[in-house]
Amino acid sequence: MKHFLNTQDLSRSELDALLADAARFKRSPQGDALQGKGIALVFFNPSMRTRTSFELGAFQLGGHAVVLQPGKDAWPIEFDLGAVMDGDAEEHIAEVARVLARYVDLIGVRAFPKFVDWQLDRQDRVLQAFAKYSTVPVINMETITHPCQELAHALAMQERFGTTDLRGKKYVLTWTYHPKALNTAVANSALTIATRLGMDVTLLCPTPEYILDARYMGWAEANVAESGGSLTVSHDIDSAYAGADVVYAKSWGALPYFGNWEAERPLREQYRHFIVDEAKMALTNSAGFSHCLPLRRNVKASDAVMDSPQCFAIEEAGNRLHVQKAVMAWLASQSATR
Ligand code: CP
């Protein structure tokens, strides 16, 4: 049984098939691929796009989504094996995942890091525990990566360039300032998918402290070796933007300061000028600009960039509906083992 935890787990033909299916769902939104099927959407963190697009995507394919927020409208869950459960958690993931799998055909999970200890968070324990105990496919709705966003981003780039072959395009993933230290998930994912598609990728960040976790840098290097393209790390704004075809923005916290965010703040505060603005975009090859959203205007990107024809963030967000239909239809077509 396949889960959808990371795009890196997919073969290239599986990845291409999902993107092609998503394009078909975009042209023809209704269907019966989930007729009579259910999906549990388990949210440990807030969402606007993910929740809306999964719920409506399931509905438009004849299925039904149940949203659960453990600790709010569902019981708090314990994830440690062997835990003496005398704290807040009322039930263990070993029961939760197996029971949900008796009711539904798919389980989506959103579980951000706890932002205290990266060595713990990088284990992706919540997602991995659902995948371990569930007898139906599990979908990553954003944990320490965001593979659904990757697919939506990839489809949007293919649409923008009018081709599924993005090799040779210069792609800049730029860190941007944010008043809070944020998750690295979308940055990890952007690096993963852009290198997988054979693009010439530059990771632009203020200092070496903002380079991403070795696992994702390693995936990117492996992808370059397999797909062609290139991977460059840069701390120089002008040379990174020069000639870019795509600029993708995201803010994230510096991993060496993980859990010690007040100590990171003086470093981060020095780099407010990493905002994506018209002057930087003027250095590019009329690049498309995008961001996963939500985005703080005039902090991460200027109004002028967000409102320019170069910005395809809305198209990308819209594509979440179509790519997630493709993922749900694909996984649900596997025979359930419950
Ligand atoms: N991009 C994204 O996942 O948006 P939400 O956090 O609103 O779901």
Side-chain angles (χ1 to χ4, degrees), residues 97-273:
R98 289 184 298 165
V99 170
L100 280 179
R102 296 291 176 104
Y103 302 145
V104 299
D105 302 276
L106 300 165
I107 300 175
V109 178
R110 167 165 285 197
F112 292 172
K114 300 246 182 279
F115 291 105
V116 175
D117 180 349
W118 177 241
Q119 291 311 313
L120 276 180
D121 280 334
R122 82 188 293 277
Q123 296 172 22
D124 219 357
R125 290 169 71 235
V126 172
L127 184 71
Q128 294 297 336
F130 270 96
K132 174 180 172 183
Y133 290 110
S134 172
T135 53
V136 298
V138 171
I139 298 173
N140 180 351
M141 301 197 299
E142 190 178 356
T143 59
I144 55 172
T145 57
H146 199 349
C148 295
Q149 191 74 47
E150 286 176 51
L151 296 184
H153 183 44
L155 182 61
M157 288 193 290
Q158 291 178 342
E159 291 167 336
R160 182 169 182 87
F161 292 113
T163 174
T164 56
D165 184 359
L166 299 179
R167 289 176 298 176
K169 300 291 184 195
K170 180 175 178 184
Y171 182 100
V172 179
L173 167 61
T174 180
W175 179 92
T176 54
Y177 173 80
H178 187 285
K180 291 188 281 190
L182 300 181
N183 195 354
T184 53
V186 171
N188 295 334
S189 275
L191 199 67
T192 300
I193 196 69
T195 51
R196 194 82 192 276
L197 295 173
M199 302 175 85
D200 291 318
V201 178
T202 298
L203 168 60
L204 171 63
C205 55
T207 67
E209 284 94 334
Y210 288 89
I211 292 174
L212 297 166
D213 182 84
R215 179 190 296 145
Y216 304 105
M217 298 303 294
W219 285 2
E221 284 163 9
N223 288 342
V224 166
E226 189 178 322
S227 304
S230 58
L231 174 65
T232 306
V233 174
S234 172
H235 307 305
D236 181 70
I237 292 173
D238 286 1
S239 60
Y241 273 76
D245 297 300
V246 176
V247 175
Y248 200 55
K250 185 70 185 78
S251 186
W252 62 88
L255 293 178
Y257 293 88
F258 206 87
N260 190 16
W261 300 116
E262 279 312 305
E264 188 228 22
R265 184 180 295 279
L267 179 65
R268 184 160 22 101
E269 291 291 336
Q270 295 172 43
Y271 298 103
R272 286 175 179 254
H273 61 283

Side-chain angles (χ1 to χ4, degrees), residues 46-109:
S47 166
M48 190 273 268
R49 279 145 288 270
T50 304
R51 176 174 174 174
T52 310
S53 52
F54 263 107
E55 277 201 62
L56 287 173
F59 169 74
Q60 291 171 6
L61 295 185
H64 182 78
V66 178
V67 174
L68 297 165
Q69 301 174 89
K72 292 184 182 165
D73 56 16
W75 301 114
I77 304 171
E78 174 64 57
F79 288 89
D80 279 342
L81 258 185
V84 177
M85 291 175 53
D86 56 1
D88 291 338
E90 288 294 342
E91 56 181 333
H92 198 276
I93 184 62
E95 282 74 57
V96 174
R98 289 184 298 165
V99 170
L100 280 179
R102 296 291 176 104
Y103 302 145
V104 299
D105 302 276
L106 300 165
I107 300 175
V109 178

